[in-house]
């Protein structure tokens, strides 16, 4: 990690506990740069920091503390990108309160031309998870880096879909980049890194997740991207914070329409009512940005897979919704052994697919 002296002082100052983004930028405004802050500690003009932050700053002004920052980054195989670095994403310079420093695990390009966010509720329905996964897979299949927050529900499904699609996916955390939250997504985070993606945070390594961090990190999710897709969310969903930030940042907002009777479709349906473009597949987004053209539909009369009556019964049910093995059994049409055989053959023929979570669905 090659950093100039000025970049090192910037990273050191931005990581001092209690300084925060507003105090950090005020210090730079008052003293000119981070090295000058180091040289001026004890100056009466720093009283605006408050007693605790000022004491933390004094305690951090030692060579041992200074160099510990960078040895810890090296130990964690993590890079720090200060805002004054050429590697800092240009798109984040434009937003309100741009993060002072980004801590990054992984190799993904944070300035990639094609970046798009998929967000939604943690309490996603089965259809919501399916939509997030399929949108992400389609976008990633055309080289789009999908950005989300690694949370339960829609975020998790979006990252999984992006991995299936084969493009890097980027997770922005409300904790240190080495503190995966929720813990059950540690394996998913490793898969993201192994596939050339990245785990990103503005919080120092070791920072635990806190309630206030998540709304704050949402400005990074939207800020990195050309646009944001809201898959599911109630009227008061936290995902609406990302949507509102995206609007303030001048990013595009899309929404997945849902049932008027589903509380978790209230937010996207409301956005559509207010003028947000409805998105029915990833191709709607790809075509909007002219990133790719939708594949042509099969010509009329093109041969369809030949299905016998039993196979047709299963495929018809799986075109309507994703179903588990037990749910298919409950249809009462096949013994378990027969059902297993039918499903296996349909998967091998490429007519249905077994999705994450043990659910089956038919290709449309």
């Amino acid at each position: 990690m090659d950093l100039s002296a000025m970049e090192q002082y910037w990273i050191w100052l931005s990581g001092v506990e209690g300084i925060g983004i507003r105090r950090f930028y005020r210090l730079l405004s008052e003293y000119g740069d981070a090295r000058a802050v180091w040289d001026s500690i004890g100056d009466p003009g720093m009283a605006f920091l408050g007693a605790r932050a000022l004491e933390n700053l004094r305690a951090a002004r030692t060579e041992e503390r200074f160099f510990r920052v960078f040895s810890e980054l090296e130990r964690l195989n993590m890079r720090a990108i200060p805002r004054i670095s050429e590697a800092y994403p240009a798109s984040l310079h434009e937003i309100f309160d741009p993060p002072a420093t980004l801590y990054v695990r992984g190799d993904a390009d944070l300035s990639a031309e094609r970046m798009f966010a998929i967000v939604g509720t943690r309490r996603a329905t089965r259809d919501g998870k399916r939509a997030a996964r399929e949108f992400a897979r389609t976008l990633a299949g055309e080289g789009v880096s999908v950005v989300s927050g690694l949370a339960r529900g829609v975020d998790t499904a979006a990252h999984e879909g992006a991995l299936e699609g084969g493009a890097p996916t980027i997770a922005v955390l409300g904790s240190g980049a080495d503190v995966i939250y929720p813990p059950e997504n540690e394996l998913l985070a490793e898969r993201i890194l192994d596939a050339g993606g990245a785990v990103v945070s503005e919080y120092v390594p070791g920072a635990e997740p806190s309630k206030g961090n998540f709304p704050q990190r949402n400005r990074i999710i939207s800020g990195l991207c050309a646009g944001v897709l809201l898959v599911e969310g109630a009227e008061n969903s936290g995902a609406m914070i990302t949507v509102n930030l995206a609007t303030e940042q001048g990013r595009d907002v899309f929404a997945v329409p849902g049932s008027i009777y589903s509380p978790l479709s209230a937010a996207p349906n409301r956005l559509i009512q207010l003028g947000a473009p409805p998105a029915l597949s990833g191709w709607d987004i790809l075509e909007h940005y002219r990133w790719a053209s939708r594949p042509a539909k099969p010509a009329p009369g093109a041969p369809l897979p030949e299905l016998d009556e039993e196979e047709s019964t299963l495929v018809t049910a799986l075109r309507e919704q994703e179903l588990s093995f037990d749910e298919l059994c409950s249809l009462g049409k096949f013994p378990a052994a027969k059902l297993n055989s039918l499903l296996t053959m349909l998967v091998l023929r490429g007519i249905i697919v077994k999705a994450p979570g043990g659910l089956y669905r038919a290709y449309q």
Side-chain angles (χ1 to χ4, degrees):
M1 182 168 50
D2 295 325
L3 296 165
S4 69
M6 193 57 69
E7 289 173 336
Q8 289 180 326
Y9 279 107
W10 178 292
I11 293 165
W12 161 78
L13 179 59
S14 67
V16 174
E17 185 178 359
I19 294 295
I21 195 77
R22 303 286 174 84
R23 293 189 182 100
F24 174 82
Y25 284 125
R26 182 169 172 184
L27 282 168
L28 294 187
S29 176
E30 297 279 347
Y31 294 93
D33 59 51
R35 173 59 193 263
V37 173
W38 172 280
D39 291 336
S40 303
I41 290 175
D43 183 78
M46 293 188 181
F48 71 87
L49 292 174
R52 178 176 294 183
L54 189 54
E55 181 55 36
N56 289 341
L57 186 57
R58 287 197 186 100
R61 192 195 179 281
T62 68
E63 287 192 5
E64 189 275 331
R65 288 281 296 274
F66 182 90
F67 288 110
R68 188 198 307 169
V69 172
F70 303 100
S71 61
E72 182 68 2
L73 289 171
E74 186 173 357
R75 184 184 71 82
L76 294 169
N77 195 25
M78 187 183 299
R79 54 194 165 116
I81 306 176
R83 192 181 170 201
I84 54 174
S85 167
E86 292 183 359
Y88 191 88
S91 59
L92 293 183
H93 284 300
E94 309 165 358
I95 70 172
F96 182 70
D97 278 350
T101 300
L102 294 174
Y103 298 92
V104 184
R105 294 170 62 201
D107 301 322
D109 180 4
L110 302 185
S111 298
E113 182 181 350
R114 298 182 177 188
M115 299 180 72
F116 192 84
I118 297 179
V119 300
T121 180
R122 290 170 170 80
R123 300 180 294 108
T125 65
R126 180 181 293 177
D127 282 348
K129 293 176 183 177
R130 176 182 179 181
R133 189 168 61 246
E134 292 185 355
F135 272 88
R137 184 171 60 243
T138 300
L139 292 173
E142 297 299 326
V144 178
S145 294
V146 172
V147 181
S148 199
L150 202 68
R152 299 179 179 98
V154 166
D155 289 15
T156 293
H159 290 303
E160 290 174 340
L163 290 171
E164 293 170 9
T169 179
I170 296 166
V172 183
L173 305 188
S175 56
D178 58 328
V179 181
I180 302 303
Y181 184 84
E184 62 264 27
N185 274 351
E186 286 186 3
L187 180 57
L188 177 57
E190 290 303 321
R191 290 172 57 208
I192 289 171
L193 296 174
D194 289 344
V199 176
V200 179
S201 177
E202 67 178 312
Y203 302 106
V204 297
E208 293 295 326
S210 72
K211 190 174 181 180
N213 290 358
F214 293 98
Q216 186 82 350
R217 66 90 192 263
N218 291 349
R219 79 192 194 288
I220 303 174
I221 293 176
S222 55
L224 284 170
C225 299
V228 173
L229 173 69
L230 179 62
V231 176
E232 280 188 325
E235 287 277 12
N236 61 349
S237 172
M240 283 300 295
I241 296 173
T242 311
V243 168
N244 293 333
L245 288 166
T247 302
E248 292 171 9
Q249 294 166 351
R251 300 332 190 229
D252 299 313
V253 173
F254 301 80
V256 176
S259 169
I260 61 172
Y261 302 108
S262 170
L264 292 179
S265 290
N269 285 346
R270 179 64 173 162
L271 287 176
I272 291 168
Q273 194 175 42
L274 293 173
L280 303 183
S281 81
W283 291 106
D284 293 328
I285 295 161
L286 290 166
E287 290 185 331
H288 176 87
Y289 293 108
R290 298 180 180 175
W291 286 339
S293 297
R294 193 184 306 258
K297 292 183 178 179
L304 296 173
E306 291 187 9
L307 303 174
D308 62 28
E309 183 177 350
E310 293 176 332
E311 293 170 334
S312 181
T313 298
L314 287 176
V315 171
T316 298
L318 293 174
R319 279 180 176 153
E320 294 175 355
Q321 60 181 322
E322 292 182 334
L323 294 169
S324 67
F325 185 89
D326 289 341
E327 287 169 330
L328 288 166
C329 273
S330 70
L331 296 177
K333 298 186 180 295
F334 312 104
K338 176 66 174 177
L339 176 61
N340 187 58
S341 175
L342 288 168
L343 291 172
T344 299
M345 292 306 301
L346 289 169
V347 168
L348 291 174
R349 292 169 62 190
I351 297 169
I352 67 172
V353 62
K354 189 173 184 180
L359 301 174
Y360 292 88
R361 68 169 182 270
Y363 285 113
Q364 298 299 318

